[in-house]
Amino acid sequence: MTKAFVVREYGGPEQLRLEDVDVGAPGQGQLKIRNRAIGLNFVDVYQRTGLYKTPLPFTAGNEGAGDVVAVGPGVTDFAVGDRIAYQGPIGAYAEERILPADKAVRLPPAISYEVAAASLLKGATAFYLLHWTHTLKADETILVHAAAGGTGQILTQWAKAIGARVIGTAGSDEKCNIVRGNGADLAINYKSDDFVARVKEFTGGRGVDVVYDGVGAVTFEPSLDCLKVRGLMVSFGNASGPVSIPRLGILADKGSLYVTRPTGAGYFRTANDLRVAADALFNLIELGRIKVAIDQTWPLAQAVEAHRALEARQTTGSTLLLP
């Protein structure tokens, strides 16, 4: 038996319930993993609340790193004792878990369990946003919302490594200092400043090429006013609530804009897709081009408290749960 947080009903953080579960042996194409570090992400909240419908009951969590303790039939890429990380398949909030082998990536010696669990989901997201959703170029300008969060920090640093200009928003002056520390050309406190006006001023009235918005309802429509003509709105999260477009014609009114709602499931369709993203991420971390901020750690047993802090926007950077 192992300890795991199971969700049996959609709802608030209290729906995360620590239980004894029987993990069992890995089946065909599977690995048994002992987690060393577990990443906390907003997608965990969306699944817990039912915004993203996940069949009940389920073990929460989408990101982790640990050791392979057993290998199922048909697995040739991994062996017992390998250090691995994963993102995507739910079930991470556990001491041990079963994982499809094609969802695992091998950890380079220089990448710790903690860094991997704090960065793989967020970094893989940044990879597809900057390379596949839109191929960012060095002469482009982007707006990144929630730029002091885990994904926002990696997204900002990666965009700067490409050579783009980055405008980042955050919810306090302290968080804006973090945004500037990650290389952003302009940091805006969206609670005290009119971010649309500041973006227009910074871009000489042109607007940005791309908006990357993981916040959702609060920022979506104002962000359309930040885009250049034929600019791209990338809505990849719902931290403040889900987004709906009141009428399609709003995109025409604001300059023949494009809108997309990408997810990792749509981009990481094969094992190779994820490994390409992981290799790129780990390479930039090893080169020092991306620094992963682990600003909060909680014992796994306190996952409920960690969820409350995340939803209250009391966190910066990445948060880990440690078994």
Side-chain angles (χ1 to χ4, degrees):
M1 303 295 284
T2 190
K3 295 289 187 182
F5 274 97
V6 179
V7 176
R8 298 190 177 276
E9 296 181 32
Y10 298 130
E14 69 280 359
Q15 296 301 334
L16 290 166
R17 297 177 181 175
L18 190 60
E19 300 182 5
D20 291 317
V21 300
D22 184 5
V23 176
Q28 181 73 30
Q30 294 180 330
L31 305 171
K32 185 174 184 179
I33 305 300
R34 180 173 296 121
N35 281 320
R36 297 296 191 99
I38 299 159
L40 181 69
N41 296 280
F42 253 104
V43 66
D44 306 348
V45 175
Y46 305 153
Q47 291 167 342
R48 190 204 73 222
T49 62
L51 178 62
Y52 289 0
K53 295 299 182 185
T54 304
L56 295 166
F58 64 87
T59 298
N62 292 267
E63 177 181 37
D67 301 310
V68 177
V69 295
V71 174
V75 175
T76 58
D77 291 344
F78 298 97
V80 172
D82 283 347
R83 301 168 67 249
I84 64 95
Y86 60 88
Q87 67 89 46
I90 59 171
Y93 290 12
E95 294 169 334
E96 295 185 347
R97 67 163 300 175
I98 299 297
L99 180 76
D102 62 358
K103 302 299 183 183
V105 298
R106 197 180 305 277
L107 287 185
I111 303 296
S112 69
Y113 298 110
E114 292 78 12
V115 166
S119 66
L120 182 57
L121 190 151
K122 303 167 189 68
T125 299
F127 175 85
Y128 78 69
L129 291 176
L130 296 173
H131 293 276
W132 291 343
T133 303
H134 172 79
T135 304
L136 186 66
K137 303 176 184 63
D139 61 348
E140 292 182 317
T141 303
I142 66 173
L143 171 62
V144 178
H145 286 302
T151 301
Q153 290 198 36
I154 294 175
L155 191 59
T156 297
Q157 293 178 79
W158 207 322
K160 290 305 299 179
I162 291 170
R165 293 200 305 172
V166 178
I167 303 168
T169 71
S172 70
D173 290 341
E174 293 76 15
K175 288 185 177 181
C176 283
N177 287 334
I178 294 171
V179 175
R180 282 186 284 269
N182 283 314
D185 299 273
L186 175 66
I188 303 170
N189 182 340
Y190 68 85
K191 290 187 176 178
S192 61
D193 292 341
D194 181 342
F195 74 81
V196 176
R198 293 289 307 279
V199 167
K200 287 295 184 68
E201 178 186 14
F202 183 77
T203 61
R206 174 181 179 274
V208 299
D209 296 275
V210 188
V211 174
Y212 292 104
D213 182 13
V215 175
V218 170
T219 51
F220 182 81
E221 285 199 43
S223 293
L224 298 179
D225 292 321
C226 295
L227 284 165
K228 71 172 188 178
V229 172
R230 300 191 303 277
L232 173 63
M233 177 73 187
V234 181
S235 176
F236 68 95
N238 314 275
S240 68
V243 168
S244 61
I245 299 177
R247 58 183 183 85
L248 192 60
I250 194 172
L251 304 178
D253 297 343
K254 294 180 181 295
S256 299
L257 305 178
Y258 297 88
V259 175
T260 185
R261 179 59 177 89
T263 66
Y267 281 91
F268 300 124
R269 307 291 291 176
T270 69
N272 189 62
D273 292 337
L274 178 59
R275 289 168 190 175
V276 166
D279 287 347
L281 171 67
F282 294 152
N283 181 57
L284 286 178
I285 292 172
E286 290 185 272
L287 292 173
R289 305 294 298 276
I290 290 177
K291 294 179 171 56
V292 179
I294 303 172
D295 292 339
Q296 301 82 208
T297 60
W298 302 74
L300 175 59
Q302 295 180 18
V304 172
E305 291 83 352
H307 267 237
R308 290 195 175 112
L310 181 66
E311 288 185 276
R313 309 299 290 275
Q314 294 172 351
T315 64
T316 59
S318 295
T319 301
L320 291 182
L321 303 174
L322 301 177

